[in-house]
Amino acid sequence: AILMGLQRKPLHFRCDGVVQLVATRFHAWGALPFLTEQAQPLNRLATTLGQEWDALAARIEPAARARDYDAAVAIVEAHLLEKLQTKTADLKQVAAAARMLHLRKGQFRVAELAERCNLSSRQLQRQFRDALGASPKALARAIRFEEIRRRLMFEPEQSLTALAYEYGYADQAHFIRDFKAFAERTPGEFARDMRAIHEVFRDHDDVVFVQVPSARRR
């Protein structure tokens, strides 16, 4: 069982053989109530989450090996709901601020966000650091990158200039630099790779690419 916090670079796993993953993707503030030690930083990869999570992984394994992913997801969901009932972490203000960032696709000034939450900029920064292990600005940048990455994944032919304008970049150079900081490749290179993948899908009728719409993610 592993936990990945807010990533600022691609995270590469090198594995041998068949790899089966069952994962839960939380909103930025969502994982904190489930951690035994809530003060631990969330901005790094943690590999020691404790016996409880290793036991959960062991319970999931038979379902995953049988490719019964609905059963595996049900086990995880039941475990998380049970734990959530016993947690009292108050994340209302952080959650409200993060939701605003999601709704505005990362395009929010910190001062404006703090004012909307009836907090000072310093208070907002501190609450984000404690709950997320990252600043509001870092989360906003990650959200904006993720929105653009998703657009290019499904529509790699669209205009990069139009995308830069839509997501509030002052110029193309800033857009390219920001995207490359997260993806370690330019938006043009990413779009080219996505076009190649789309070609593979068109050439193979038995290949299906599915991503849950963002409105359904939790």
Side-chain angles (χ1 to χ4, degrees):
I2 60 173
L3 169 71
M4 291 178 291
L6 184 65
Q7 297 298 302
R8 297 176 176 84
K9 294 285 185 181
L11 185 63
H12 301 284
F13 291 93
R14 301 190 184 279
C15 307
D16 294 324
V18 176
V19 177
Q20 294 171 272
L21 298 177
V22 178
T24 301
R25 186 177 183 181
F26 294 96
H27 282 298
W29 65 91
L32 192 66
F34 302 103
L35 300 179
T36 302
E37 177 51 67
Q38 293 188 1
Q40 68 173 298
L42 298 181
N43 58 356
R44 61 180 177 81
L45 180 67
T47 55
T48 53
L49 294 180
Q51 185 176 357
E52 171 191 3
W53 297 99
D54 289 333
L56 176 63
R59 288 171 55 204
I60 294 168
E61 184 176 356
R65 287 188 179 277
R67 299 188 181 277
D68 188 354
Y69 290 105
D70 287 341
V73 168
I75 293 170
V76 176
E77 187 176 63
H79 181 80
L80 295 178
L81 288 174
E82 182 181 353
K83 285 189 66 67
L84 189 60
Q85 292 175 358
T86 66
K87 298 302 179 181
T88 59
D90 184 6
L91 302 173
K92 291 180 181 178
Q93 287 180 307
V94 168
R99 285 193 181 99
M100 289 182 197
L101 286 176
H102 277 283
L103 288 172
R104 292 276 289 271
K105 300 178 180 180
Q107 299 180 63
F108 235 126
R109 292 186 302 107
V110 173
E112 183 182 358
L113 191 63
E115 185 177 352
R116 290 285 190 95
C117 297
N118 296 315
L119 296 169
S120 69
S121 294
R122 181 172 296 181
Q123 287 173 320
L124 184 68
Q125 296 271 7
R126 184 173 63 250
Q127 289 195 18
F128 263 69
R129 184 182 64 249
D130 292 344
L132 277 61
S135 69
K137 184 177 180 180
L139 178 60
R141 289 184 68 230
I143 290 171
R144 184 161 63 167
F145 164 76
E146 180 65 15
E147 290 288 337
I148 295 170
R149 184 199 64 82
R150 188 181 298 115
R151 289 278 296 275
L152 287 175
M153 178 180 290
F154 290 102
E155 304 172 51
E157 302 291 347
Q158 65 186 291
S159 166
L160 297 180
T161 301
L163 264 184
Y165 177 78
E166 180 181 346
Y167 285 91
Y169 285 99
D171 53 61
Q172 191 81 352
H174 185 193
F175 169 48
I176 293 172
R177 185 168 60 250
D178 219 29
F179 190 96
K180 191 174 182 179
F182 279 94
E184 295 183 344
R185 48 187 165 167
T186 68
E189 291 168 338
F190 182 82
R192 180 197 62 203
D193 292 343
M194 291 302 103
R195 285 194 292 270
I197 290 174
H198 280 241
E199 288 296 325
V200 171
F201 292 159
R202 279 193 285 269
D203 292 341
H204 296 80
D205 293 336
D206 58 342
V207 177
V208 179
F209 185 75
V210 177
Q211 178 162 313
V212 177
S214 59
R216 292 179 56 195
R217 288 184 292 127
R218 293 291 182 266

